Amino acid sequence: MENSFLIKTQDLVKTYPMGHTKIFALNGVNLNFRPGEFAGLVGPSGSGKTTFLNIVGSLDSPTSGSAVVMGKKIEDLSHKQAAWLRNQNIGFIFQTFNLLPVYTVYENVEFTLLLLKMSAEERKDKVMQALEWVKLADRAKSKPAQLSGGQSQRVAVARAIVKEPSIILADEPTANLDAENSFNILDTMEELNRELGTTFIFATHDEKVIKYLRRKITLVDGKVAKDEALEQKKVKGGNQ
Amino acid sequence: MIIPRLALKNLLGAGLRTWLNVVVLSLSFVLIIFLQSLYKGMGDQAKEAKIDIEFAGGQYWHESYDPFDPLTLEDAHGVVPDPIQEKIDKGEATPILVTQATIYPEGRLRTILLKGIYPQQSIVNLPSKFLVQEGEDIPALIGARMAKSAGLKMGDMVTVRWRDAKGTFDARDVQIARVMKTSVGTVDQGQIWIPLEKMRGLMSMENESSLVVVAKNTEDIPTVSGWDFKSLEFLLADIEYLVRTKTTGGSIMYIFLLLLAMLAIFNTQVLSIFRRRKEMGTMMALGFTRSKIIQLFTLEGAMHSVLAAIVAAIYGIPFLVWFSKTGWALPEGTDDFGFGLGEKLFPVYSVGLVVGTIVLVLLVTTIVSFLPTRKIAKLKPTDALRGKMS
Ligand SMILES: Nc1ncnc2c1ncn2[C@@H]1O[C@H](COP(=O)(O)OP(=O)(O)O)[C@@H](O)[C@H]1O
Ligand SMILES: [Mg+2]
């Protein structure tokens, strides 16, 4: 069932020059993901988690090996095709939220839809729907500077989900959040995963996140050390 | 249409810095239009004055006549041919005779141009009616500049000496009947006007003229041998040239201001591209291509000029309209413009000038805004997201 994989990597290698030698950020990674997964890459800092997400997210290309995402070979995409793939199919959530400061919450969420051919009403419906998913419809007119960290990350989730992408890549999404906000956002993401079937792939070393994962992939020095299915350990609401 | 919308939001979002740039740029807008239209007004005014008092609808010149070479004047006269004489008889043209002469004001020799004109003519707006001879003395008309430089005033007698057609020297006293005030130096400086028939008699140049001025808007201009018709275009060419020179000279001021604005915008662009790498990375993650981001940043810079045009219109239009009504009173004795001017200058605005200025500023701003964005073309999304720029 080759075709049922949303993401499939083969001998994925990414090196960075370092003086006369090179660093293997990824050193032969073979990982496949099916639609609807709620998976996470865990491992110490520098183990290659971000590098993997960047390549799968078509923000970067591998040094060797192959990454096929939604039938597209990342290493063969032009800059423009890669941008198109991201715009259509991939949502990103960053550790530092990365909201655009001059735009309102509404505009930040709308931003990604602006590149798609869509009527203004349709855009508005989708943006308001996404803001309701993250329970921020009442802050639509606020500027990012007026939001707390938890609210900012929820806007980022809304921005990632608004186009209903197949894949959402979340790199350390809770690293700048307190426990309550972390659980909050994880609850939201899990709910979206269940209701919309969106595949979530995390890069994290946060235990709170790991509790939510249904699949945990441990990376060590750019290699997959362990790839395990998890029992759901978390308690809904997170306040245990 | 999304890029302009985003660009405008970013630009307005940048706040004070944007407005500083916009204000400087808007000043260049207003100054360019103000100075250019002032020079245009100057030129138009000088031309109108010259047409009014000197050129009317153009001039026939005797083939030897060259106002820029006084030495040729001795031979530059002749009997007016019939086709032109007909016009004179019908009151559609008026002849003028010009020779060199000398006067001795306050005991010093001075070379002047002696010009004869019909006292009753109405082709040019020269107050020639004061040349109607009433007594013994030959009446003479001079301009205020001439009066000042020669120390002459109304009622004064002055001795004029010349060589007649046969080359013999002769002299007469003339009486200043009128000192006229005119902005046109070329009917004033170094010249004395006397009645044409009297002058012809004294010079033994019966029926002769050096040039014939035709009435304004004369359409039928017969070609006659020995006389060249000089159109207004030809006659006004030197003013046109002077205005162009002045305009160029005047541009230094706003070119400097424009340069300042461009420098500020360039600086803003460089800074904003440097500071907003992470923002660019985010946009790339959201699916923007580099070329879209370059477009966005270029447009952001270029929009300074759009905002500047709006700001310039807000304070510039009232100012320029007020100015066109009040005019600019020239300081007393402003004569060094190279051409005559009235006491007040009025700017002349044209659609071409305004549109041209906007297009020029828009173009320059766009180029200046684009240059720093070339860095983006090599920016990797991952580097941008990490706030790094290669
Ligand atoms: N742009 C880069 N240039 C050089 N080295 C890099 C770059 N990006 C990542 N690395 C290196 O690659 C390794 C993996 O990094 P990363 O994928 O960010 O790990 P993680 O996200 O697990 O902390 C690290 O040793 C890091 O220093
Ligand atoms: Mg990382």
Side-chain angles (χ1 to χ4, degrees), chain A residues 54 58-60 79-80 83-84 86-87 90 92 94 96 98 100-103 107-108 110-112 114-115 123 159 163, chain B residues 2 5-7 9-10 13-14 278-292 296 379-382 385:
Chain A
N54 283 345
S58 77
L59 287 169
D60 206 349
H79 173 78
K80 214 172 160 176
W84 179 247
R86 293 193 291 274
N87 185 237
I90 302 169
F92 289 89
F94 305 98
T96 50
N98 293 22
L100 302 173
V102 302
Y103 305 139
E107 288 161 349
N108 262 283
E110 184 189 31
F111 195 88
T112 179
L114 294 175
L115 289 173
R123 255 199 331 260
R159 178 175 69 183
K163 61 191 173 193
Chain B
I2 81 157
R5 236 185 75 196
L6 297 175
K9 266 192 191 126
N10 286 341
K278 201 164 154 186
E279 201 175 306
M280 290 186 231
T282 308
M283 285 171 159
M284 288 183 189
L286 295 176
F288 270 61
T289 54
R290 284 189 283 243
S291 66
K292 274 241 157 53
L296 177 65
L379 186 64
K380 286 204 256 164
T382 46
L385 277 169

Side-chain angles (χ1 to χ4, degrees), chain B residues 10-308:
Chain B
N10 286 341
L11 196 57
L12 294 176
L16 191 61
R17 198 179 175 89
T18 297
W19 292 111
L20 275 176
N21 293 342
V22 164
V23 165
V24 176
L25 198 54
S26 77
L27 279 174
S28 357
F29 263 123
V30 174
L31 202 67
I32 290 174
I33 293 170
F34 171 72
L35 285 179
Q36 295 276 352
S37 51
L38 194 61
Y39 285 123
K40 173 108 168 68
M42 243 183 225
D44 286 5
Q45 193 175 325
K47 282 189 215 163
E48 265 164 41
K50 282 216 157 206
I51 289 169
D52 189 49
I53 205 167
E54 191 178 9
F55 298 148
Q59 296 177 335
Y60 278 102
W61 288 4
H62 183 271
E63 60 187 354
S64 306
Y65 177 69
D66 178 1
F68 300 107
D69 184 2
L71 296 177
T72 62
L73 288 177
E74 214 167 311
D75 303 319
H77 51 85
V79 175
V80 175
D82 285 345
I84 306 179
Q85 188 58 47
E86 272 167 35
K87 285 199 175 293
I88 297 173
D89 295 341
K90 279 193 283 182
E92 291 170 2
T94 194
I96 292 173
L97 181 60
V98 185
T99 64
Q100 255 194 314
T102 44
I103 57 170
Y104 298 90
E106 294 154 344
R108 272 179 298 146
L109 178 142
R110 224 188 119 148
T111 304
I112 58 143
L113 288 181
L114 194 62
K115 292 185 170 177
I117 188 168
Y118 281 136
Q120 309 84 357
Q121 67 76 33
S122 57
I123 302 296
V124 290
N125 195 11
L126 202 74
S128 54
K129 61 173 191 282
F130 292 100
L131 295 176
V132 175
Q133 192 170 355
E134 278 158 354
E136 283 288 288
D137 300 315
I138 303 167
L141 174 68
I142 58 172
R145 291 181 189 77
M146 175 67 180
K148 198 172 168 210
S149 67
L152 292 169
K153 56 185 190 304
M154 248 169 82
D156 283 359
M157 300 294 289
V158 62
T159 305
V160 183
R161 209 169 78 110
W162 66 87
R163 260 149 60 127
D164 68 16
K166 293 166 204 94
T168 41
F169 282 100
D170 199 354
R172 281 291 191 288
D173 283 348
V174 300
Q175 185 175 35
I176 307 301
R178 185 76 180 180
V179 175
M180 62 177 170
K181 204 163 159 42
T182 171
S183 64
V184 180
T186 44
V187 297
D188 176 340
Q189 268 149 343
Q191 42 196 287
I192 295 181
W193 296 85
I194 61 170
L196 180 61
E197 285 307 344
K198 190 78 198 174
M199 182 168 165
R200 282 172 170 169
L202 293 170
M203 307 274 159
S204 330
M205 296 177 189
E206 290 312 322
N207 288 323
E208 295 193 20
S209 314
S210 303
L211 62 137
V212 175
V213 189
V214 304
K216 277 182 209 165
N217 306 320
T218 301
E219 289 187 356
D220 161 42
I221 302 293
T223 315
V224 288
S225 79
W227 291 71
D228 305 325
F229 182 74
K230 305 293 182 186
S231 65
L232 282 179
E233 198 182 330
F234 171 86
L235 294 168
L236 294 170
D238 55 336
I239 293 194
E240 199 79 63
Y241 174 76
L242 269 167
V243 168
R244 224 175 303 132
T245 324
K246 301 272 161 211
T247 311
T248 318
S251 354
I252 304 282
M253 194 147 75
Y254 63 72
I255 285 176
F256 180 76
L257 203 64
L258 202 59
L259 217 66
L260 202 75
M262 289 308 126
L263 213 68
I265 290 173
F266 185 81
N267 184 42
T268 301
Q269 285 290 93
V270 170
L271 207 78
S272 121
I273 287 165
F274 179 78
R275 279 197 309 215
R276 288 163 62 192
R277 283 157 306 181
K278 201 164 154 186
E279 201 175 306
M280 290 186 231
T282 308
M283 285 171 159
M284 288 183 189
L286 295 176
F288 270 61
T289 54
R290 284 189 283 243
S291 66
K292 274 241 157 53
I293 295 174
I294 288 174
Q295 274 176 43
L296 177 65
F297 275 72
T298 303
L299 202 63
E300 254 183 72
M303 270 188 178
H304 279 106
S305 60
V306 177
L307 290 184

Side-chain angles (χ1 to χ4, degrees), chain A residues 44-51 95 171-172 203-205:
Chain A
S45 183
S47 55
K49 306 184 292 292
T50 298
T51 305
Q95 175 177 342
D171 194 352
E172 314 274 9
T204 189
H205 50 258

Side-chain angles (χ1 to χ4, degrees), chain A residues 14-18 23-26 42-54 60 171-172 203 205 219 222, chain B residues 380 382-383 386 388:
Chain A
K14 180 75 185 179
T15 61
Y16 292 105
M18 162 100 148
I23 298 177
F24 280 82
L26 295 176
V42 301
S45 183
S47 55
K49 306 184 292 292
T50 298
T51 305
F52 183 83
L53 289 193
N54 283 345
D60 206 349
D171 194 352
E172 314 274 9
H205 50 258
L219 284 187
Chain B
K380 286 204 256 164
T382 46
D383 285 342
R386 297 195 314 157
K388 206 179 115 182

Side-chain angles (χ1 to χ4, degrees), chain A residues 158-201:
Chain A
R159 178 175 69 183
I161 199 75
V162 69
K163 61 191 173 193
E164 298 181 35
S166 309
I167 304 163
I168 286 183
L169 304 173
D171 194 352
E172 314 274 9
T174 56
N176 284 326
L177 300 180
D178 60 25
E180 188 183 338
N181 278 310
S182 296
F183 288 125
N184 220 320
I185 205 118
L186 285 161
D187 283 341
T188 306
M189 290 194 277
E190 203 206 24
E191 205 175 303
L192 291 169
N193 166 261
R194 269 191 283 104
E195 286 182 12
L196 302 176
T198 314
T199 302
F200 278 76
I201 303 176

